[in-house]
Amino acid sequence: MAILITPDDVRFADLKRARNGRWPEDRSEEVSTIALCLSAQDTAEVLQRVVSAGQRPTIRSGGHCYEDFYANNPKGTLIDMSMQSQVSALSNNASYRIEAGATLGRTYQELYKLYNVTLPGGTCDSVGIGGHVTGGGYGFVSRLYGTTADWLSGVDILTVDAAGKVTMRSCSAKQDGDLFRACRGAGGGNFGLIVAYTFEKLPPAPQEVMVSNMIFPWAEMSEEKFARIFDAFGGYFATRGQDPDTWGLFGVIEANHKASGYMRVSAQFCNPDGTCKETKVLDEFLALFEGLKPSATVPVGAGNSSSQSFGPHMMTRIPWAETGAAGGARRGLTRGKYKSTCMKKKFTEYEIRTLFKYLTQTRPGVDFSRTLLEVDSYGGAMNRKEMLEETVAFQRSSIMKLQYQTYWSDPAEDEGHTSWMHEFYKEVYSGSDVDAAHQGTPYPGANYEGCYINWCDRDMTEYSYWPELYYGPNYDFLQQVKRKYDPNNVFHHAMSIRP
Amino acid sequence: MKRVTDCHRRRFLQTFAGATLLPSLRVPLCGQTFLSALHWPTRFAYLGAHDGIHVYSIAGDETFIKLQMMTSAYPVAMAISNWNLYVVNGISEFAGLPRGTAESYGIDAWSGKLTFRNRVPLSLSAISPRGLAVSPDGSAIVVAVHGGGAYNVLPIREDGSLGRVTGILKETGSGPHRLQVSAHPSALVFDSVGRVLGVDQGSDRLNVFTLRNHEIAAICRHKVISGSGPMSIVLHPKEKRFFVAQALNASISSFKYDPSVGSIVDHEQTVAAPVGDGIASLAIHPSGKALYSSHGRGIYAWRIAGNVLVHSSSHVENVQPGALYVTKNAKSLFALTDDSVLRMRIDAFTEMPSAPVKVASLCKPLSVAIV
């Protein structure tokens, strides 16, 4: 029996909020009911009741959506899946079932402890699996193993037919194969309500990883040094990083705004066999930055007694089980704005100059101390071209994925942060490498591969071609699936597949 | 908020100095009721077309004289209430999001000219809205969202402008025709109590809704002939029945309605239109004794005899009207065609329309309202 939380319930004020404190934007956008569903049957019953009443359902598993996709639902019902979080094995541990409300942290822990396997998913422990997997989620071991969607073999999903009747489907490559493929990369809230995922096989959990961080204080930064950091990082993943023996290396530039005081380049590494007996690859990568003189090379978790130096570079050996921990679900405390880019080549001089310009810029009344550009390494197993036909995640030639992030707490700073971010992003993609018709966007082509739907950005709908940025050549296919499985467009949000 | 007609009203009062009329006024001199009580000498027509809203004065001989043109995005439906014009823009995208919009305009009672008040987005996914009605108390509009399969309620503020959407009803349903893959609310009308009668072309369904606190809820659903595609609705002046034009099988049906509870009691009759299918529109004579319909390339007149609809011999062929409109004085029936507005005089005795006369040339008129 689902628990229905209405505005007269003391829990409503907290549970209605999104993790991003910007949503819902005002009271007129609030839902009228939050349904905490305890089982798939509960979920089906609630969904049927919502649809029959002419309400709009929106769905939350972890609640990490960057935009207002589930929180903006005037007088509708928010179906909360967080109570359905079981991670289990089916038939002789040969396949695994993960309920949509499980967080990545819980999933990693249980998959490791119970079955010694892992899901190559994202880096934020409290992200819900429901949206993450269907958006083609990736993380620290994805260069080694591919994306979460690549490993998916089945989806239990509630759809609403033309007559408004809710139906449970277990789709796979053999059953409702088009819907299954669409669920492998299209993102959440498009075709139905995902209840659980099945993975016939999952990769073994690495035994251990090596982690290293290099700190570059802004006080010691010059534009030339900044450019060399980005060039070294991008150059590596455009060349040496393509070799399979490097796929266990996941690098990140945390290009914090100058106001935060420092930038960081970090790396997590294990060899393809899941061990760190040999660290040559990581040493090679760290050596690229030696000449740039990071002020400190510190391991993850300052003060950790296990911090050690192995060979020429400082790095820390961490058992796999300690790399993930279930996170809480704090809602509404931090406001944020995000943008994304998939890059096929290393940074151009123009891009680096523009990044430097905005990351050192100040604006009256805007605190940039929690503003950053995160540059993730990409590629490796995620770029296996054979997955193009099996999934709708078309970004299979990228070497880096960029996430522009800015955080603040005071609503009075909303406009300052969002407009700055808008200008920043637009200018980065207005160089001579971007054709006239797609200025301001990383339109798929020689240099870019569009944007990542899991880091959704409603601003991009200002461009009529926004579906091409997120879905490349697959949008027509996704629209066909939409019309077939959700003919009344019951499931929709600002960036959902248009019928 | 400044009332747009203040200046003109003052001038009007000075001009007429209607001392004998003043005691009969129920409202202060600035009230709009005053204007209508005086039988305002000029009528105005508002025509929505692809390029905007065209404003005309209607001369004594019923010819149209162009006064103004306001830019408006695909004004597919409009309604007038209290010297305000409400418009629904039948678009599929606004500010990058999939939704239509609604607009409010003030009408200058003296000149008939429009002043733009505001434009508000419909709910997310409320694309290609098609129908619009104003509640009898003038407190809200309800929009039938054809493309998005939904109904939206928008409150009317004191100054006549529209507030943000307060009520959303998302419909599901389908029919056997290729145009019926999902629900398509097409048209709606209020009864005098304030309930909404709506027709759904996609799901072959008639609905009755209530409005409470500017929220909308269904209280009665009625299935019609599968694949018929109900598209237009008119309520009989006595409200005991209503008529529905079905676009996909070129027919008209009448239904018995109980206005005391908002219930569709019974299907009374279905008659086939003499010719064609396509856009189906209805208009009813204020007497409640004649009905006018368009199907495909013809306009037809019907006598309403009790609960029976009888096709009259009166008809007009080779026009393709998109909408019909009977004036309140029951003298004229207007029809919008691809490139013009046609006027047909309505015979005072027989209530049958005469041969049409073109009163205005306009490219693809979509909607009409006359005050």
Side-chain angles (χ1 to χ4, degrees):
Chain A
M1 184 78 142
I3 299 163
L4 302 179
I5 310 237
T6 50
D8 54 352
D9 188 306
V10 292
R11 293 168 290 183
F12 184 83
D14 175 55
L15 293 177
K16 76 180 181 190
R17 291 192 296 177
R19 190 177 176 90
N20 186 340
R22 294 170 63 200
W23 322 122
E25 203 162 5
D26 60 50
R27 293 201 64 179
S28 70
E29 295 181 348
E30 286 181 7
V31 297
S32 64
T33 306
I34 299 160
L36 294 166
C37 297
L38 308 182
S39 68
Q41 188 183 339
D42 262 6
T43 314
E45 287 170 6
V46 166
L47 180 59
Q48 185 64 72
R49 198 165 8 163
V50 169
V51 171
S52 299
Q55 281 192 322
R56 172 184 167 216
T58 49
I59 304 139
R60 174 170 70 190
S61 53
H64 269 253
C65 184
Y66 287 167
E67 294 288 356
D68 62 355
F69 296 173
Y70 68 81
N72 179 358
N73 182 4
K75 299 188 177 75
T77 293
L78 172 58
I79 298 178
D80 185 300
M81 300 295 286
S82 61
M83 304 302 287
Q84 296 175 65
S85 57
Q86 198 174 4
V87 179
S88 56
L90 305 168
S91 60
N92 301 325
N93 293 358
S95 59
Y96 308 90
R97 185 173 191 272
I98 305 175
E99 292 183 333
T103 59
L104 290 178
R106 179 187 170 116
T107 300
Y108 298 151
Q109 288 286 318
E110 300 214 0
L111 286 176
Y112 172 70
K113 289 175 181 170
L114 297 173
Y115 314 112
N116 194 25
V117 294
T118 194
L119 183 72
T123 57
C124 187
D125 299 333
S126 55
V127 164
I129 206 99
H132 184 70
V133 171
T134 189
Y138 80 103
F140 281 136
V141 290
S142 291
R143 276 176 42 84
L144 188 58
Y145 294 138
T147 72
T148 53
D150 294 349
W151 290 84
L152 192 61
S153 50
V155 181
D156 291 348
I157 181 171
L158 294 163
T159 56
V160 180
D161 70 12
K165 185 168 176 281
V166 172
T167 305
M168 173 66 89
R169 296 173 187 275
S170 291
C171 64
S172 65
K174 292 177 182 168
Q175 177 74 38
D176 297 330
D178 50 358
L179 177 59
F180 176 62
R181 183 183 170 216
C183 287
R184 301 175 79 180
N190 275 309
F191 313 108
L193 195 168
I194 292 172
V195 173
Y197 293 112
T198 303
F199 301 87
E200 280 176 8
K201 195 177 155 195
L202 282 170
Q207 194 178 317
E208 57 188 355
V209 295
M210 285 291 189
V211 176
S212 188
N213 289 327
M214 290 169 282
I215 303 296
F216 297 92
W218 270 104
E220 299 167 14
M221 187 71 69
S222 64
E223 187 165 356
E224 187 258 339
K225 184 173 176 179
F226 181 91
R228 285 177 62 195
I229 292 170
F230 277 79
D231 193 54
F233 187 94
Y236 178 84
F237 289 103
T239 54
R240 174 75 175 107
Q242 309 269 349
D243 299 334
D245 65 317
T246 71
W247 288 5
L249 175 73
F250 190 88
V252 179
I253 301 178
E254 188 187 316
N256 296 305
H257 188 275
K258 189 176 182 179
S260 74
Y262 70 98
M263 278 175 41
R264 171 165 39 197
V265 176
S266 59
Q268 175 176 304
F269 171 74
C270 71
N271 286 297
D273 67 356
T275 73
C276 296
K277 290 172 191 161
E278 171 63 62
T279 60
K280 189 185 83 176
V281 170
L282 181 56
D283 278 319
E284 265 178 29
F285 177 74
L286 296 176
L288 295 173
F289 301 91
E290 270 178 351
L292 298 168
K293 297 193 174 115
S295 71
T297 305
V298 293
V300 169
N304 185 336
S305 59
S306 65
S307 303
Q308 292 179 49
S309 171
F310 295 90
H313 299 106
M314 184 72 82
M315 57 184 80
T316 305
R317 187 186 300 275
I318 301 178
W320 175 249
E322 291 179 20
T323 60
R330 296 194 308 162
R331 279 179 286 273
L333 301 179
T334 301
R335 307 169 82 80
K337 178 63 195 169
Y338 313 80
K339 290 180 176 292
S340 69
T341 302
C342 300
M343 293 186 68
K344 293 169 77 173
K345 291 183 177 170
K346 68 176 195 169
F347 295 94
T348 64
E349 282 181 27
Y350 168 82
E351 287 166 346
I352 291 173
R353 259 202 325 274
T354 312
L355 297 179
F356 185 83
K357 172 183 163 185
Y358 278 87
L359 289 171
T360 54
Q361 203 171 63
T362 57
R363 294 209 172 168
V366 183
D367 175 8
F368 288 121
S369 62
R370 290 186 288 164
T371 298
L372 70 148
L373 168 68
E374 180 186 322
V375 183
D376 288 355
S377 57
Y378 206 77
M382 291 182 280
N383 283 352
R384 286 181 295 153
K385 302 295 185 285
E386 63 268 29
M387 298 311 293
L388 283 169
E389 294 301 313
E390 294 188 33
T391 72
V392 289
F394 80 104
Q395 287 122 344
R396 301 287 180 179
S397 299
S398 293
I399 59 164
M400 291 180 284
K401 216 165 210 178
L402 276 54
Q403 184 176 192
Y404 296 76
Q405 305 167 57
T406 184
Y407 302 95
W408 67 99
S409 301
D410 183 356
E413 289 187 42
D414 282 6
E415 171 60 21
H417 278 274
T418 56
S419 61
W420 175 84
M421 178 73 94
H422 193 262
E423 288 171 38
F424 180 13
Y425 187 81
K426 206 164 188 168
E427 192 164 325
V428 172
Y429 304 108
S430 295
S432 56
D433 285 341
V434 182
D435 67 86
H438 303 105
Q439 283 280 303
T441 67
Y443 189 75
N447 297 315
Y448 308 113
E449 226 171 6
C451 310
Y452 177 38
I453 192 62
N454 271 358
W455 297 338
C456 50
D457 174 12
R458 204 175 62 173
D459 296 354
M460 300 309 282
T461 61
E462 77 176 85
Y463 303 101
S464 61
Y465 54 85
W466 72 267
E468 295 170 62
L469 295 170
Y470 288 88
Y471 301 112
N474 294 323
Y475 195 61
D476 286 348
F477 166 76
L478 290 169
Q479 285 187 297
Q480 287 168 28
V481 174
K482 176 72 175 175
R483 288 192 283 266
K484 181 175 174 184
Y485 292 97
D486 184 20
N488 283 289
N489 197 22
V490 169
F491 301 96
H492 61 264
H493 53 71
M495 295 181 75
S496 56
I497 307 294
R498 312 296 193 235
Chain B
M1 179 64 73
K2 184 182 182 301
R3 293 274 184 170
V4 293
T5 57
D6 278 357
C7 170
H8 296 123
R9 274 201 300 270
R10 277 197 297 276
R11 195 191 316 157
F12 170 75
L13 291 171
Q14 289 159 6
T15 305
F16 281 78
T20 56
L21 291 170
L22 292 177
S24 68
L25 296 176
R26 290 186 290 108
V27 292
L29 295 182
C30 58
Q32 291 171 335
T33 303
F34 174 59
L35 296 169
S36 46
L38 288 171
H39 301 295
W40 193 246
T42 308
R43 289 180 298 139
F44 304 104
Y46 303 89
L47 293 169
H50 282 66
D51 57 350
I53 302 166
H54 298 252
V55 182
Y56 298 84
S57 66
I58 305 177
D61 62 353
E62 303 281 294
T63 55
F64 280 34
I65 301 159
K66 185 83 166 273
L67 296 175
Q68 185 188 23
M69 195 279 213
M70 299 286 278
T71 301
S72 177
Y74 209 72
V76 73
M78 50 176 61
I80 291 173
S81 172
N82 294 326
W83 296 93
N84 299 306
L85 177 71
Y86 298 102
V87 173
V88 165
N89 308 105
I91 55 176
S92 295
E93 188 173 301
F94 178 69
L97 294 176
R99 53 192 175 170
T101 55
E103 294 173 331
S104 167
Y105 296 85
I107 298 174
D108 185 311
W110 180 263
S111 69
K113 288 187 177 176
L114 297 177
T115 306
F116 176 76
R117 283 216 180 92
N118 70 335
R119 181 183 190 185
V120 292
L122 300 181
S123 64
L124 194 63
S125 98
I127 60 170
S128 306
R130 188 173 280 181
L132 161 69
V134 184
S135 64
D137 64 1
S139 70
I141 67 167
V142 179
V143 178
V145 182
H146 187 269
Y151 295 89
N152 276 193
V153 183
L154 294 89
I156 296 174
R157 298 179 184 134
E158 225 168 87
D159 66 355
S161 64
L162 290 168
R164 291 175 63 168
V165 172
T166 54
I168 305 167
L169 190 107
K170 173 74 181 140
E171 294 284 58
T172 55
S174 63
H177 194 278
R178 63 181 173 80
L179 297 177
Q180 294 181 305
V181 292
S182 63
H184 292 309
S186 298
L188 43 80
V189 62
F190 271 94
D191 70 13
S192 55
V193 176
R195 294 188 201 90
V196 183
L197 289 84
V199 296
D200 191 321
Q201 191 179 357
S203 66
D204 293 322
R205 205 163 50 193
L206 313 178
N207 308 288
V208 183
F209 305 106
T210 55
L211 287 192
R212 282 206 187 92
N213 301 322
H214 293 159
E215 292 183 35
I216 184 168
I219 56 169
C220 179
R221 306 270 201 192
H222 188 96
K223 284 291 281 185
V224 296
I225 298 167
S226 180
S228 59
M231 187 179 183
S232 177
I233 181 171
V234 290
L235 184 61
H236 190 277
K238 290 182 179 169
E239 301 195 352
K240 296 286 188 187
R241 64 178 43 83
F242 62 87
F243 301 92
V244 173
Q246 281 119 192
L248 301 180
N249 69 354
S251 65
I252 300 170
S253 296
S254 65
F255 296 86
K256 194 172 175 187
Y257 179 64
D258 182 352
S260 66
V261 293
S263 170
I264 301 169
V265 180
D266 203 6
H267 167 229
E268 293 181 323
Q269 184 190 14
T270 294
V271 293
V275 182
D277 54 9
I279 293 171
S281 302
L282 290 177
I284 194 164
H285 193 282
S287 71
K289 292 178 182 172
L291 182 74
Y292 312 100
S293 75
S294 67
H295 278 93
R297 299 187 64 80
I299 301 170
Y300 308 95
W302 308 77
R303 293 187 192 288
I304 302 168
N307 61 357
V308 178
L309 207 54
V310 182
H311 178 223
S312 157
S313 58
S314 174
H315 64 273
V316 180
E317 290 181 348
N318 294 325
V319 292
Q320 199 158 9
L324 299 176
Y325 187 95
V326 176
T327 56
K328 281 181 184 167
N329 63 14
K331 287 184 176 174
S332 300
L333 169 66
F334 290 101
L336 309 185
T337 73
D338 261 3
D339 59 359
S340 64
V341 180
L342 304 179
R343 183 211 174 210
M344 289 149 277
R345 289 185 190 281
I346 298 176
D347 185 279
F349 180 68
T350 65
E351 299 181 344
M352 292 297 112
S354 65
V357 175
K358 184 192 284 191
V359 290
S361 292
L362 194 61
C363 182
K364 297 188 186 308
L366 302 162
S367 54
V368 57
I370 294 175
V371 65

